[in-house]
Amino acid sequence: MAWLLGIAVLVLLVVSSGFRKFALGLVALTVAGGGLLYIQSELEQSRSLSRIAISELAFENVALKPEYSGYKLSGRIMNNSTNYTLKQVKLVVTMQDCTGATGSQNCITIGESSEYLYLGIPPVQARDFEEPVYFAGRGLNPKGHLQWSYSVSEIRGE
């Protein structure tokens, strides 16, 4: 049945100049509407990145522990924002191989992983998290001892 409608539209496009103008207007209107929806979506995405400042987050008991084929990152995040719900945090976890004495350590980065924590932490509340972490390559083979750190690279609020 749909193919019959398609044939009718093609015949009208060939035969009727008024229908061609109407179809062209309809296509232009659809493209303009789609463009406006896309721009609105992009603006909302950029706004979500600036709603909660990093100073409004508190991390507690963050630990990285070995697990079967990788590591497990766990801890608690407190959302101290009074207006916005914390939806997502992107953490960059860095693993370093450190050699030498404690005061004069020589550390080199041997692994780095970006982890997205998908959360729903309302204003002035906290949630625990656990996230598997995998470092690229065949595994971490340190010459000294492993030392890890994390940093926040992106925050999304709603």
Side-chain angles (χ1 to χ4, degrees):
M1 195 64 164
W3 62 272
L4 201 55
L5 182 62
I7 290 174
V9 168
L10 287 175
V11 168
L12 283 171
L13 283 172
V14 170
V15 174
S16 172
S17 66
F19 186 76
R20 280 192 297 267
K21 290 177 185 175
F22 170 75
L24 182 61
L26 189 62
V27 168
L29 190 61
T30 302
V31 168
L36 287 174
L37 285 174
Y38 175 77
I39 290 170
Q40 181 184 3
S41 172
E42 289 297 311
L43 284 172
E44 178 58 29
Q45 287 282 19
S46 67
R47 284 188 199 124
S48 73
L49 290 172
S50 62
R51 289 191 175 127
I52 299 175
I54 193 167
S55 61
E56 293 180 298
L57 299 182
F59 290 83
E60 298 174 357
N61 302 322
V62 179
L64 185 70
K65 296 178 181 168
E67 207 173 52
Y68 306 108
S69 62
Y71 292 84
K72 179 175 71 172
L73 182 67
S74 62
R76 174 174 284 188
I77 300 177
M78 174 73 182
N79 176 12
N80 291 314
S81 169
T82 56
N83 299 319
Y84 299 108
T85 297
L86 178 63
K87 287 297 188 180
Q88 176 184 322
V89 175
K90 180 182 176 186
L91 297 177
V92 176
V93 181
T94 304
M95 187 67 76
Q96 294 185 314
D97 181 9
C98 297
T99 57
T102 305
S104 61
Q105 285 187 356
N106 183 21
C107 297
I108 185 166
T109 300
I110 60 173
E112 195 169 83
S113 179
S114 294
E115 302 300 324
Y116 288 91
L117 304 176
Y118 297 98
L119 310 156
I121 307 175
V124 196
Q125 290 189 23
R127 297 290 186 271
D128 292 334
F129 67 90
E130 280 189 359
E131 184 72 23
V133 177
Y134 301 99
F135 296 100
R138 300 179 130 222
L140 304 174
N141 299 313
K143 295 179 181 172
H145 68 279
L146 291 175
Q147 184 173 316
W148 71 277
S149 63
Y150 69 93
S151 62
V152 177
S153 65
E154 189 175 286
I155 300 169
R156 290 193 185 275
E158 183 176 275

